[in-house]
Amino acid sequence: MEDLPPRKTLPRLDESLLTHLPPFSRLEKRQIRTILDQATSRRYLPGVAVFEEGHEAERFYMLLDGYVRVVRITPTGEQVTALHIPAGQLLGIAKAIGRDTYPATAMTATESIVISWPTRLWDTFVAEYDGFATETYKTLGHRVGEMNTRIVELATQQVEQRVANALLRLINQTGRKVEGGIEIDFPITRQDLSELTATTLHTVSRLLSGWEKRGLVESKRKRIKVCDPHALVVLSQG
């Protein structure tokens, strides 16, 4: 993997890759073939920008495999992780919110496979492909809902509650069962967690260390495992 370029164009993809994904699940095989024939597919190494905040939204994307962090840059130049997007979702859909530039940067959290199309095809997809628009706006609604939930948490909850809620969301969205608990299925650092919860790295480190001693979580090598989800639910409720 070390000798791969940051992004590598992939060969022709099979229709089966899209048939189970909500934006395309109502379509016939021939329609999906047409869609794929207009797409560019790439494999990205971890930590690579798929697109960047403020750049012209020339393409929109579907994450086929891997995880992506949605990152915003504050006026003072600080990087803040706003969301994590799992495989099977559209991203870079600036057109859906009436923008011609990307509102955030998408950074790969793991090695990822992404397909994309020119933004000029967006209106065609919406008009011609049953379910594309409905599922796209449903996804957008979920993301707005998650952001609103986080805003409420920032305004009303203590830090311990916010961190517990962030971990619960991540294991619900991306968790995989492992021995002794549920692990977040991509590398995540304590710094990432501090950005998600608008607190300091020191505070997150102190909380996780305390929870580890109590057997609630395990945290090492950019991996976080929740050993006692119920205990975190109790903490999240204050």
Side-chain angles (χ1 to χ4, degrees), residues 4-19:
L4 285 176
R7 59 191 74 183
K8 179 183 178 183
T9 301
L10 298 176
R12 191 172 189 259
L13 299 177
D14 189 81
E15 294 93 325
S16 62
L17 290 170
L18 294 188
T19 52

Side-chain angles (χ1 to χ4, degrees), residues 98-116:
R99 291 184 58 122
D100 55 14
T101 59
Y102 297 116
T105 297
M107 298 288 296
T108 53
T110 62
E111 187 173 334
S112 301
I113 297 174
V114 181
I115 58 177
S116 67

Side-chain angles (χ1 to χ4, degrees), residues 8-19 21 29 32-43 62-65 112-117:
K8 179 183 178 183
T9 301
L10 298 176
R12 191 172 189 259
L13 299 177
D14 189 81
E15 294 93 325
S16 62
L17 290 170
L18 294 188
T19 52
L21 300 180
K29 190 174 180 179
I32 293 178
R33 183 70 264 157
T34 299
I35 287 169
L36 283 173
D37 286 344
Q38 298 176 89
T40 298
S41 58
R42 285 180 174 171
R43 184 186 301 274
M62 166 65 77
L63 181 61
L64 288 183
D65 189 44
S112 301
I113 297 174
V114 181
I115 58 177
S116 67
W117 301 266

Side-chain angles (χ1 to χ4, degrees), residues 174-199:
T174 70
R176 62 187 180 95
K177 289 186 178 180
V178 295
E179 185 177 350
I182 305 172
E183 185 176 78
I184 296 169
D185 194 26
F186 58 84
I188 183 167
T189 65
R190 295 183 175 195
Q191 179 63 43
D192 294 329
L193 201 52
S194 72
E195 291 174 9
L196 279 171
T197 54
T199 188

Side-chain angles (χ1 to χ4, degrees), residues 57-99:
E58 296 178 339
R59 305 187 73 83
F60 61 99
Y61 302 80
M62 166 65 77
L63 181 61
L64 288 183
D65 189 44
Y67 294 93
V68 164
R69 290 190 178 94
V70 177
V71 176
R72 297 294 307 275
I73 306 300
T74 69
T76 58
E78 294 178 82
Q79 177 178 297
V80 177
T81 301
L83 291 170
H84 289 87
I85 297 178
Q89 292 195 15
L90 291 166
L91 61 153
I93 49 177
K95 184 85 170 177
I97 56 175
R99 291 184 58 122

Side-chain angles (χ1 to χ4, degrees), residues 127-196:
E128 296 186 3
Y129 298 131
D130 184 33
F132 179 81
T134 303
E135 294 299 331
T136 296
Y137 290 110
K138 188 183 295 183
T139 295
L140 194 59
H142 286 319
R143 290 179 191 166
V144 171
E146 182 177 339
M147 294 301 296
N148 286 340
T149 297
R150 287 183 57 199
I151 290 169
V152 171
E153 288 175 0
L154 290 174
T156 63
Q157 294 184 350
Q158 300 296 320
V159 172
E160 185 176 54
Q161 291 175 273
R162 300 203 303 266
V163 175
N165 271 314
L167 288 177
L168 289 170
R169 268 196 300 273
L170 288 170
I171 63 171
N172 284 333
Q173 293 170 351
T174 70
R176 62 187 180 95
K177 289 186 178 180
V178 295
E179 185 177 350
I182 305 172
E183 185 176 78
I184 296 169
D185 194 26
F186 58 84
I188 183 167
T189 65
R190 295 183 175 195
Q191 179 63 43
D192 294 329
L193 201 52
S194 72
E195 291 174 9
L196 279 171

Side-chain angles (χ1 to χ4, degrees), residues 211-229:
W211 291 350
E212 286 192 73
K213 290 176 182 177
R214 294 162 57 186
L216 276 59
V217 302
E218 287 183 14
S219 171
K220 57 184 178 181
R221 296 178 184 174
K222 297 184 180 181
R223 292 286 178 180
I224 298 178
K225 178 172 71 176
V226 175
C227 307
D228 190 343

